Amino acid sequence: MTTPQTAAAAVVQQDDVIHAANTEQPHTRLVAIAVDGSKHSEYAFNWAIKHFVRAESDQLLVIHVRPVVKKTYSPVVSDVEEFDRKESYDILHKFAGSLPSDKTYNVRLVSTIGDAREAIAGKVESEKADVLIVGSHGRGPIRKALLGSVSDHLVKHVAVPVIVAKVDAEIPASNYDILSPGVVATGL
């Protein structure tokens, strides 16, 4: 049972590996892809599968971070946590289900809780990922300063190369899979 004193530690350490397929297959690279269910992370995921991931030799680590629910002594909190967990699992399964069926992928889906910036960075480090691929919401400088940018934080604080696949706002989402990617890569 988590007490208020240990809640923070439990939140940081809680990971749910909700799907693992072909993980016995040897791999040469561990490619982490952080997703949040947005069109930006969908673009990054699709870009990674189409242009970067080698199905025959890479292992995919698809990460989704759910928000921390402030602990109170209310039954509503467990309902909110359960809703967030289910939504996270649904998002991860949606991405896994979108993998091309003509190839076999070595994939693990991980749902975790915490601040997205720290949780993703921590998971990349603990799993010893070789590269991280994320999307960018394309916030302007004022919104980025006020809200922060997960991709910006990861580029600055993760020790492995980070690829930020950016969606062109002028192009409809239905055309994302046939686009020449707008990609920013660091540490390559």
PDB file of all heavy atoms in Angstrom, residues 144-178:
ATOM      1  N   LYS A 144       6.029  27.858 -25.319  1.00  0.00           N
ATOM      2  CA  LYS A 144       7.093  26.967 -24.879  1.00  0.00           C
ATOM      3  C   LYS A 144       7.661  27.430 -23.541  1.00  0.00           C
ATOM      4  O   LYS A 144       7.920  26.626 -22.649  1.00  0.00           O
ATOM      5  CB  LYS A 144       8.209  26.910 -25.924  1.00  0.00           C
ATOM      6  CG  LYS A 144       9.246  25.845 -25.625  1.00  0.00           C
ATOM      7  CD  LYS A 144      10.407  25.869 -26.581  1.00  0.00           C
ATOM      8  CE  LYS A 144      10.025  25.465 -27.962  1.00  0.00           C
ATOM      9  NZ  LYS A 144      11.174  25.350 -28.868  1.00  0.00           N
ATOM     10  N   ALA A 145       7.830  28.748 -23.386  1.00  0.00           N
ATOM     11  CA  ALA A 145       8.354  29.290 -22.136  1.00  0.00           C
ATOM     12  C   ALA A 145       7.382  29.064 -20.978  1.00  0.00           C
ATOM     13  O   ALA A 145       7.788  28.757 -19.860  1.00  0.00           O
ATOM     14  CB  ALA A 145       8.650  30.775 -22.285  1.00  0.00           C
ATOM     15  N   LEU A 146       6.088  29.205 -21.247  1.00  0.00           N
ATOM     16  CA  LEU A 146       5.088  29.040 -20.191  1.00  0.00           C
ATOM     17  C   LEU A 146       4.798  27.577 -19.878  1.00  0.00           C
ATOM     18  O   LEU A 146       4.686  27.190 -18.720  1.00  0.00           O
ATOM     19  CB  LEU A 146       3.777  29.737 -20.586  1.00  0.00           C
ATOM     20  CG  LEU A 146       3.833  31.257 -20.684  1.00  0.00           C
ATOM     21  CD1 LEU A 146       2.517  31.788 -21.242  1.00  0.00           C
ATOM     22  CD2 LEU A 146       4.120  31.869 -19.322  1.00  0.00           C
ATOM     23  N   LEU A 147       4.661  26.754 -20.904  1.00  0.00           N
ATOM     24  CA  LEU A 147       4.260  25.368 -20.724  1.00  0.00           C
ATOM     25  C   LEU A 147       5.427  24.396 -20.718  1.00  0.00           C
ATOM     26  O   LEU A 147       5.293  23.270 -20.266  1.00  0.00           O
ATOM     27  CB  LEU A 147       3.283  24.956 -21.837  1.00  0.00           C
ATOM     28  CG  LEU A 147       1.992  25.757 -21.928  1.00  0.00           C
ATOM     29  CD1 LEU A 147       1.218  25.341 -23.163  1.00  0.00           C
ATOM     30  CD2 LEU A 147       1.164  25.553 -20.671  1.00  0.00           C
ATOM     31  N   GLY A 148       6.548  24.826 -21.251  1.00  0.00           N
ATOM     32  CA  GLY A 148       7.680  23.918 -21.393  1.00  0.00           C
ATOM     33  C   GLY A 148       7.504  23.068 -22.638  1.00  0.00           C
ATOM     34  O   GLY A 148       6.440  23.011 -23.226  1.00  0.00           O
ATOM     35  N   SER A 149       8.558  22.447 -23.041  1.00  0.00           N
ATOM     36  CA  SER A 149       8.533  21.593 -24.212  1.00  0.00           C
ATOM     37  C   SER A 149       9.198  20.280 -23.852  1.00  0.00           C
ATOM     38  O   SER A 149      10.358  20.257 -23.445  1.00  0.00           O
ATOM     39  CB  SER A 149       9.282  22.255 -25.362  1.00  0.00           C
ATOM     40  OG  SER A 149       9.547  21.325 -26.385  1.00  0.00           O
ATOM     41  N   VAL A 150       8.446  19.204 -23.985  1.00  0.00           N
ATOM     42  CA  VAL A 150       8.998  17.893 -23.680  1.00  0.00           C
ATOM     43  C   VAL A 150      10.155  17.588 -24.626  1.00  0.00           C
ATOM     44  O   VAL A 150      11.234  17.180 -24.193  1.00  0.00           O
ATOM     45  CB  VAL A 150       7.905  16.806 -23.758  1.00  0.00           C
ATOM     46  CG1 VAL A 150       8.510  15.417 -23.617  1.00  0.00           C
ATOM     47  CG2 VAL A 150       6.846  17.046 -22.697  1.00  0.00           C
ATOM     48  N   SER A 151       9.943  17.796 -25.926  1.00  0.00           N
ATOM     49  CA  SER A 151      11.002  17.466 -26.883  1.00  0.00           C
ATOM     50  C   SER A 151      12.240  18.321 -26.658  1.00  0.00           C
ATOM     51  O   SER A 151      13.370  17.822 -26.724  1.00  0.00           O
ATOM     52  CB  SER A 151      10.502  17.599 -28.327  1.00  0.00           C
ATOM     53  OG  SER A 151      10.064  18.907 -28.600  1.00  0.00           O
ATOM     54  N   ASP A 152      12.060  19.591 -26.354  1.00  0.00           N
ATOM     55  CA  ASP A 152      13.198  20.476 -26.084  1.00  0.00           C
ATOM     56  C   ASP A 152      13.976  19.990 -24.863  1.00  0.00           C
ATOM     57  O   ASP A 152      15.207  19.932 -24.873  1.00  0.00           O
ATOM     58  CB  ASP A 152      12.695  21.904 -25.876  1.00  0.00           C
ATOM     59  CG  ASP A 152      13.814  22.915 -25.813  1.00  0.00           C
ATOM     60  OD1 ASP A 152      14.655  22.926 -26.740  1.00  0.00           O
ATOM     61  OD2 ASP A 152      13.851  23.695 -24.837  1.00  0.00           O
ATOM     62  N   HIS A 153      13.278  19.631 -23.811  1.00  0.00           N
ATOM     63  CA  HIS A 153      13.922  19.113 -22.601  1.00  0.00           C
ATOM     64  C   HIS A 153      14.706  17.837 -22.911  1.00  0.00           C
ATOM     65  O   HIS A 153      15.850  17.681 -22.463  1.00  0.00           O
ATOM     66  CB  HIS A 153      12.876  18.834 -21.514  1.00  0.00           C
ATOM     67  CG  HIS A 153      13.443  18.212 -20.286  1.00  0.00           C
ATOM     68  ND1 HIS A 153      13.975  18.964 -19.260  1.00  0.00           N
ATOM     69  CD2 HIS A 153      13.591  16.918 -19.918  1.00  0.00           C
ATOM     70  CE1 HIS A 153      14.417  18.149 -18.316  1.00  0.00           C
ATOM     71  NE2 HIS A 153      14.185  16.911 -18.700  1.00  0.00           N
ATOM     72  N   LEU A 154      14.096  16.938 -23.671  1.00  0.00           N
ATOM     73  CA  LEU A 154      14.752  15.669 -23.975  1.00  0.00           C
ATOM     74  C   LEU A 154      16.001  15.872 -24.821  1.00  0.00           C
ATOM     75  O   LEU A 154      17.028  15.230 -24.582  1.00  0.00           O
ATOM     76  CB  LEU A 154      13.767  14.727 -24.658  1.00  0.00           C
ATOM     77  CG  LEU A 154      12.610  14.267 -23.765  1.00  0.00           C
ATOM     78  CD1 LEU A 154      11.538  13.579 -24.584  1.00  0.00           C
ATOM     79  CD2 LEU A 154      13.104  13.381 -22.641  1.00  0.00           C
ATOM     80  N   VAL A 155      15.922  16.779 -25.789  1.00  0.00           N
ATOM     81  CA  VAL A 155      17.097  17.076 -26.620  1.00  0.00           C
ATOM     82  C   VAL A 155      18.259  17.544 -25.748  1.00  0.00           C
ATOM     83  O   VAL A 155      19.403  17.173 -25.962  1.00  0.00           O
ATOM     84  CB  VAL A 155      16.754  18.134 -27.695  1.00  0.00           C
ATOM     85  CG1 VAL A 155      17.998  18.731 -28.308  1.00  0.00           C
ATOM     86  CG2 VAL A 155      15.860  17.527 -28.771  1.00  0.00           C
ATOM     87  N   LYS A 156      17.947  18.325 -24.724  1.00  0.00           N
ATOM     88  CA  LYS A 156      18.994  18.903 -23.866  1.00  0.00           C
ATOM     89  C   LYS A 156      19.470  17.964 -22.762  1.00  0.00           C
ATOM     90  O   LYS A 156      20.581  18.123 -22.269  1.00  0.00           O
ATOM     91  CB  LYS A 156      18.487  20.196 -23.235  1.00  0.00           C
ATOM     92  CG  LYS A 156      18.284  21.295 -24.247  1.00  0.00           C
ATOM     93  CD  LYS A 156      17.697  22.527 -23.606  1.00  0.00           C
ATOM     94  CE  LYS A 156      17.469  23.615 -24.649  1.00  0.00           C
ATOM     95  NZ  LYS A 156      16.743  24.750 -24.099  1.00  0.00           N
ATOM     96  N   HIS A 157      18.649  16.989 -22.353  1.00  0.00           N
ATOM     97  CA  HIS A 157      18.984  16.219 -21.161  1.00  0.00           C
ATOM     98  C   HIS A 157      19.169  14.717 -21.349  1.00  0.00           C
ATOM     99  O   HIS A 157      19.585  14.043 -20.413  1.00  0.00           O
ATOM    100  CB  HIS A 157      17.920  16.455 -20.081  1.00  0.00           C
ATOM    101  CG  HIS A 157      17.916  17.858 -19.581  1.00  0.00           C
ATOM    102  ND1 HIS A 157      17.084  18.831 -20.101  1.00  0.00           N
ATOM    103  CD2 HIS A 157      18.656  18.465 -18.639  1.00  0.00           C
ATOM    104  CE1 HIS A 157      17.316  19.969 -19.495  1.00  0.00           C
ATOM    105  NE2 HIS A 157      18.261  19.783 -18.602  1.00  0.00           N
ATOM    106  N   VAL A 158      18.849  14.192 -22.508  1.00  0.00           N
ATOM    107  CA  VAL A 158      19.019  12.758 -22.735  1.00  0.00           C
ATOM    108  C   VAL A 158      20.395  12.530 -23.351  1.00  0.00           C
ATOM    109  O   VAL A 158      20.817  13.271 -24.233  1.00  0.00           O
ATOM    110  CB  VAL A 158      17.885  12.212 -23.642  1.00  0.00           C
ATOM    111  CG1 VAL A 158      18.133  10.771 -24.022  1.00  0.00           C
ATOM    112  CG2 VAL A 158      16.553  12.349 -22.939  1.00  0.00           C
ATOM    113  N   ALA A 159      21.081  11.488 -22.879  1.00  0.00           N
ATOM    114  CA  ALA A 159      22.457  11.237 -23.300  1.00  0.00           C
ATOM    115  C   ALA A 159      22.578  10.546 -24.658  1.00  0.00           C
ATOM    116  O   ALA A 159      23.677  10.439 -25.181  1.00  0.00           O
ATOM    117  CB  ALA A 159      23.176  10.404 -22.232  1.00  0.00           C
ATOM    118  N   VAL A 160      21.477  10.082 -25.219  1.00  0.00           N
ATOM    119  CA  VAL A 160      21.526   9.405 -26.521  1.00  0.00           C
ATOM    120  C   VAL A 160      21.036  10.362 -27.603  1.00  0.00           C
ATOM    121  O   VAL A 160      20.414  11.382 -27.299  1.00  0.00           O
ATOM    122  CB  VAL A 160      20.673   8.115 -26.515  1.00  0.00           C
ATOM    123  CG1 VAL A 160      21.175   7.142 -25.455  1.00  0.00           C
ATOM    124  CG2 VAL A 160      19.198   8.409 -26.344  1.00  0.00           C
ATOM    125  N   PRO A 161      21.287  10.040 -28.865  1.00  0.00           N
ATOM    126  CA  PRO A 161      20.746  10.881 -29.933  1.00  0.00           C
ATOM    127  C   PRO A 161      19.225  10.967 -29.852  1.00  0.00           C
ATOM    128  O   PRO A 161      18.554   9.978 -29.540  1.00  0.00           O
ATOM    129  CB  PRO A 161      21.175  10.162 -31.217  1.00  0.00           C
ATOM    130  CG  PRO A 161      22.372   9.358 -30.826  1.00  0.00           C
ATOM    131  CD  PRO A 161      22.116   8.949 -29.396  1.00  0.00           C
ATOM    132  N   VAL A 162      18.699  12.154 -30.099  1.00  0.00           N
ATOM    133  CA  VAL A 162      17.256  12.396 -30.075  1.00  0.00           C
ATOM    134  C   VAL A 162      16.843  12.889 -31.460  1.00  0.00           C
ATOM    135  O   VAL A 162      17.434  13.835 -31.981  1.00  0.00           O
ATOM    136  CB  VAL A 162      16.870  13.450 -29.007  1.00  0.00           C
ATOM    137  CG1 VAL A 162      15.377  13.738 -29.048  1.00  0.00           C
ATOM    138  CG2 VAL A 162      17.304  12.997 -27.627  1.00  0.00           C
ATOM    139  N   ILE A 163      15.839  12.252 -32.017  1.00  0.00           N
ATOM    140  CA  ILE A 163      15.286  12.685 -33.294  1.00  0.00           C
ATOM    141  C   ILE A 163      13.908  13.268 -33.010  1.00  0.00           C
ATOM    142  O   ILE A 163      13.056  12.602 -32.410  1.00  0.00           O
ATOM    143  CB  ILE A 163      15.174  11.513 -34.292  1.00  0.00           C
ATOM    144  CG1 ILE A 163      16.566  10.960 -34.613  1.00  0.00           C
ATOM    145  CG2 ILE A 163      14.440  11.953 -35.566  1.00  0.00           C
ATOM    146  CD1 ILE A 163      16.557   9.705 -35.460  1.00  0.00           C
ATOM    147  N   VAL A 164      13.707  14.524 -33.416  1.00  0.00           N
ATOM    148  CA  VAL A 164      12.422  15.188 -33.250  1.00  0.00           C
ATOM    149  C   VAL A 164      11.796  15.304 -34.634  1.00  0.00           C
ATOM    150  O   VAL A 164      12.291  16.044 -35.479  1.00  0.00           O
ATOM    151  CB  VAL A 164      12.578  16.590 -32.606  1.00  0.00           C
ATOM    152  CG1 VAL A 164      11.209  17.239 -32.429  1.00  0.00           C
ATOM    153  CG2 VAL A 164      13.320  16.503 -31.281  1.00  0.00           C
ATOM    154  N   ALA A 165      10.724  14.556 -34.846  1.00  0.00           N
ATOM    155  CA  ALA A 165      10.023  14.596 -36.130  1.00  0.00           C
ATOM    156  C   ALA A 165       8.922  15.636 -36.013  1.00  0.00           C
ATOM    157  O   ALA A 165       8.017  15.496 -35.200  1.00  0.00           O
ATOM    158  CB  ALA A 165       9.444  13.226 -36.459  1.00  0.00           C
ATOM    159  N   LYS A 166       9.036  16.688 -36.799  1.00  0.00           N
ATOM    160  CA  LYS A 166       8.100  17.807 -36.712  1.00  0.00           C
ATOM    161  C   LYS A 166       7.111  17.768 -37.865  1.00  0.00           C
ATOM    162  O   LYS A 166       7.482  17.622 -39.009  1.00  0.00           O
ATOM    163  CB  LYS A 166       8.868  19.126 -36.738  1.00  0.00           C
ATOM    164  CG  LYS A 166       9.779  19.302 -35.535  1.00  0.00           C
ATOM    165  CD  LYS A 166      10.563  20.580 -35.620  1.00  0.00           C
ATOM    166  CE  LYS A 166       9.606  21.736 -35.451  1.00  0.00           C
ATOM    167  NZ  LYS A 166      10.267  23.017 -35.336  1.00  0.00           N
ATOM    168  N   VAL A 167       5.847  17.947 -37.522  1.00  0.00           N
ATOM    169  CA  VAL A 167       4.778  17.985 -38.510  1.00  0.00           C
ATOM    170  C   VAL A 167       4.729  19.376 -39.129  1.00  0.00           C
ATOM    171  O   VAL A 167       4.817  20.379 -38.431  1.00  0.00           O
ATOM    172  CB  VAL A 167       3.424  17.686 -37.826  1.00  0.00           C
ATOM    173  CG1 VAL A 167       2.270  17.880 -38.788  1.00  0.00           C
ATOM    174  CG2 VAL A 167       3.419  16.290 -37.243  1.00  0.00           C
ATOM    175  N   ASP A 168       4.571  19.424 -40.433  1.00  0.00           N
ATOM    176  CA  ASP A 168       4.380  20.697 -41.120  1.00  0.00           C
ATOM    177  C   ASP A 168       2.910  21.080 -40.964  1.00  0.00           C
ATOM    178  O   ASP A 168       2.020  20.355 -41.402  1.00  0.00           O
ATOM    179  CB  ASP A 168       4.742  20.554 -42.596  1.00  0.00           C
ATOM    180  CG  ASP A 168       4.662  21.855 -43.361  1.00  0.00           C
ATOM    181  OD1 ASP A 168       3.943  22.777 -42.918  1.00  0.00           O
ATOM    182  OD2 ASP A 168       5.300  21.946 -44.412  1.00  0.00           O
ATOM    183  N   ALA A 169       2.642  22.214 -40.335  1.00  0.00           N
ATOM    184  CA  ALA A 169       1.269  22.642 -40.043  1.00  0.00           C
ATOM    185  C   ALA A 169       0.435  22.857 -41.299  1.00  0.00           C
ATOM    186  O   ALA A 169      -0.787  22.834 -41.245  1.00  0.00           O
ATOM    187  CB  ALA A 169       1.290  23.922 -39.215  1.00  0.00           C
ATOM    188  N   GLU A 170       1.075  23.064 -42.431  1.00  0.00           N
ATOM    189  CA  GLU A 170       0.347  23.326 -43.671  1.00  0.00           C
ATOM    190  C   GLU A 170      -0.149  22.061 -44.359  1.00  0.00           C
ATOM    191  O   GLU A 170      -0.905  22.131 -45.310  1.00  0.00           O
ATOM    192  CB  GLU A 170       1.272  24.079 -44.655  1.00  0.00           C
ATOM    193  CG  GLU A 170       1.783  25.403 -44.118  1.00  0.00           C
ATOM    194  CD  GLU A 170       0.660  26.397 -43.887  1.00  0.00           C
ATOM    195  OE1 GLU A 170      -0.224  26.506 -44.747  1.00  0.00           O
ATOM    196  OE2 GLU A 170       0.652  27.040 -42.828  1.00  0.00           O
ATOM    197  N   ILE A 171       0.275  20.900 -43.887  1.00  0.00           N
ATOM    198  CA  ILE A 171      -0.046  19.660 -44.588  1.00  0.00           C
ATOM    199  C   ILE A 171      -1.087  18.879 -43.788  1.00  0.00           C
ATOM    200  O   ILE A 171      -0.932  18.686 -42.591  1.00  0.00           O
ATOM    201  CB  ILE A 171       1.232  18.818 -44.782  1.00  0.00           C
ATOM    202  CG1 ILE A 171       2.226  19.629 -45.620  1.00  0.00           C
ATOM    203  CG2 ILE A 171       0.910  17.492 -45.440  1.00  0.00           C
ATOM    204  CD1 ILE A 171       3.582  19.043 -45.716  1.00  0.00           C
ATOM    205  N   PRO A 172      -2.166  18.435 -44.425  1.00  0.00           N
ATOM    206  CA  PRO A 172      -3.200  17.690 -43.715  1.00  0.00           C
ATOM    207  C   PRO A 172      -2.662  16.389 -43.127  1.00  0.00           C
ATOM    208  O   PRO A 172      -1.793  15.740 -43.711  1.00  0.00           O
ATOM    209  CB  PRO A 172      -4.254  17.394 -44.780  1.00  0.00           C
ATOM    210  CG  PRO A 172      -3.825  18.066 -46.014  1.00  0.00           C
ATOM    211  CD  PRO A 172      -2.444  18.609 -45.831  1.00  0.00           C
ATOM    212  N   ALA A 173      -3.206  15.999 -41.990  1.00  0.00           N
ATOM    213  CA  ALA A 173      -2.762  14.793 -41.298  1.00  0.00           C
ATOM    214  C   ALA A 173      -2.868  13.561 -42.184  1.00  0.00           C
ATOM    215  O   ALA A 173      -2.066  12.651 -42.078  1.00  0.00           O
ATOM    216  CB  ALA A 173      -3.580  14.592 -40.024  1.00  0.00           C
ATOM    217  N   SER A 174      -3.832  13.517 -43.073  1.00  0.00           N
ATOM    218  CA  SER A 174      -4.004  12.345 -43.935  1.00  0.00           C
ATOM    219  C   SER A 174      -2.822  12.133 -44.875  1.00  0.00           C
ATOM    220  O   SER A 174      -2.641  11.055 -45.405  1.00  0.00           O
ATOM    221  CB  SER A 174      -5.286  12.479 -44.747  1.00  0.00           C
ATOM    222  OG  SER A 174      -5.215  13.622 -45.580  1.00  0.00           O
ATOM    223  N   ASN A 175      -1.994  13.156 -45.062  1.00  0.00           N
ATOM    224  CA  ASN A 175      -0.849  13.032 -45.962  1.00  0.00           C
ATOM    225  C   ASN A 175       0.462  12.762 -45.235  1.00  0.00           C
ATOM    226  O   ASN A 175       1.502  12.692 -45.867  1.00  0.00           O
ATOM    227  CB  ASN A 175      -0.686  14.313 -46.792  1.00  0.00           C
ATOM    228  CG  ASN A 175      -1.811  14.499 -47.777  1.00  0.00           C
ATOM    229  OD1 ASN A 175      -2.492  13.548 -48.126  1.00  0.00           O
ATOM    230  ND2 ASN A 175      -2.023  15.721 -48.203  1.00  0.00           N
ATOM    231  N   TYR A 176       0.446  12.606 -43.916  1.00  0.00           N
ATOM    232  CA  TYR A 176       1.690  12.456 -43.157  1.00  0.00           C
ATOM    233  C   TYR A 176       2.541  11.291 -43.617  1.00  0.00           C
ATOM    234  O   TYR A 176       3.742  11.375 -43.650  1.00  0.00           O
ATOM    235  CB  TYR A 176       1.412  12.268 -41.669  1.00  0.00           C
ATOM    236  CG  TYR A 176       0.949  13.511 -40.960  1.00  0.00           C
ATOM    237  CD1 TYR A 176       0.448  13.430 -39.682  1.00  0.00           C
ATOM    238  CD2 TYR A 176       0.991  14.758 -41.552  1.00  0.00           C
ATOM    239  CE1 TYR A 176       0.008  14.553 -39.010  1.00  0.00           C
ATOM    240  CE2 TYR A 176       0.548  15.883 -40.905  1.00  0.00           C
ATOM    241  CZ  TYR A 176       0.057  15.771 -39.624  1.00  0.00           C
ATOM    242  OH  TYR A 176      -0.375  16.875 -38.967  1.00  0.00           O
ATOM    243  N   ASP A 177       1.907  10.189 -43.991  1.00  0.00           N
ATOM    244  CA  ASP A 177       2.693   9.006 -44.306  1.00  0.00           C
ATOM    245  C   ASP A 177       3.438   9.102 -45.637  1.00  0.00           C
ATOM    246  O   ASP A 177       4.340   8.322 -45.890  1.00  0.00           O
ATOM    247  CB  ASP A 177       1.810   7.760 -44.293  1.00  0.00           C
ATOM    248  CG  ASP A 177       0.709   7.815 -45.326  1.00  0.00           C
ATOM    249  OD1 ASP A 177       0.306   8.919 -45.722  1.00  0.00           O
ATOM    250  OD2 ASP A 177       0.266   6.731 -45.745  1.00  0.00           O
ATOM    251  N   ILE A 178       3.116  10.065 -46.468  1.00  0.00           N
ATOM    252  CA  ILE A 178       3.804  10.164 -47.758  1.00  0.00           C
ATOM    253  C   ILE A 178       4.721  11.379 -47.835  1.00  0.00           C
ATOM    254  O   ILE A 178       5.267  11.691 -48.873  1.00  0.00           O
ATOM    255  CB  ILE A 178       2.795  10.210 -48.922  1.00  0.00           C
ATOM    256  CG1 ILE A 178       1.847  11.409 -48.780  1.00  0.00           C
ATOM    257  CG2 ILE A 178       2.034   8.916 -49.034  1.00  0.00           C
ATOM    258  CD1 ILE A 178       0.996  11.650 -50.015  1.00  0.00           C
TER     259      ILE A 178
END
